[in-house]
Amino acid sequence: MNLFLWIQLNPDALTADHLMLAVIGYTVVFLALLLLYVFFRQLPKLLAFNLRRKLRKEGEPEKAATAGSAIPGEVNAAIATAIFLYLNELHDHETAVLTITKAAKSYSPWNSKIYNVTHFRRF
């Protein structure tokens, strides 16, 4: 049996309403993504501006001049590598061997209800 047998594409069934709904839907999604991109692109600049203004107000102009400067990518990579290596050393290296042994006692209160369910009287 063909898995795609139930899918029947009928281009005549598409109307102007369907196409308009698709165009509006895609437009809304892409505009939302564009607005999110612009927002997150400008957010660090806005935070740095507020930090500089706050430091100038407190009377620390030398700190305000360097506030909000970006950390170079090499420094970020070195920090991330150090954290990764540190966290990997915290874990024990264990073998992935799983041993299952059958218990000698087959009856327990946990499996007693199954006997009442599976044993029916035949009429």
Side-chain angles (χ1 to χ4, degrees), residues 71-85:
I71 299 173
E74 294 85 8
V75 175
N76 287 333
I79 292 170
T81 304
I83 291 172
F84 175 77
L85 292 174

Side-chain angles (χ1 to χ4, degrees), residues 45-108:
K45 294 175 186 175
L46 179 66
L47 293 175
F49 175 75
N50 285 338
L51 180 62
R52 274 186 254 137
R53 190 177 67 188
K54 179 182 172 188
L55 288 172
R56 279 192 209 114
K57 197 182 276 188
E58 291 175 357
E60 299 178 9
E62 62 277 351
K63 285 185 181 178
T66 61
S69 61
I71 299 173
E74 294 85 8
V75 175
N76 287 333
I79 292 170
T81 304
I83 291 172
F84 175 77
L85 292 174
Y86 174 74
L87 291 177
N88 277 345
E89 289 179 3
L90 294 179
H91 298 292
D92 295 337
H93 294 285
E94 300 175 4
T95 61
V97 176
L98 180 64
T99 306
I100 300 174
T101 57
K102 183 172 169 89
K105 180 179 163 185
S106 63
Y107 173 79
S108 73

Side-chain angles (χ1 to χ4, degrees), residues 18-72:
H18 296 120
L19 294 175
M20 184 63 74
L21 183 64
V23 168
I24 290 173
Y26 284 121
T27 304
V28 166
V29 168
F30 283 116
L31 284 177
L33 288 173
L34 180 68
L35 287 174
L36 285 171
Y37 170 77
V38 169
F39 174 75
F40 285 115
R41 185 76 178 188
Q42 298 301 322
L43 186 63
K45 294 175 186 175
L46 179 66
L47 293 175
F49 175 75
N50 285 338
L51 180 62
R52 274 186 254 137
R53 190 177 67 188
K54 179 182 172 188
L55 288 172
R56 279 192 209 114
K57 197 182 276 188
E58 291 175 357
E60 299 178 9
E62 62 277 351
K63 285 185 181 178
T66 61
S69 61
I71 299 173

Side-chain angles (χ1 to χ4, degrees), residues 1-7:
M1 182 173 141
N2 190 355
L3 293 175
F4 298 106
L5 187 62
W6 57 276
I7 299 176

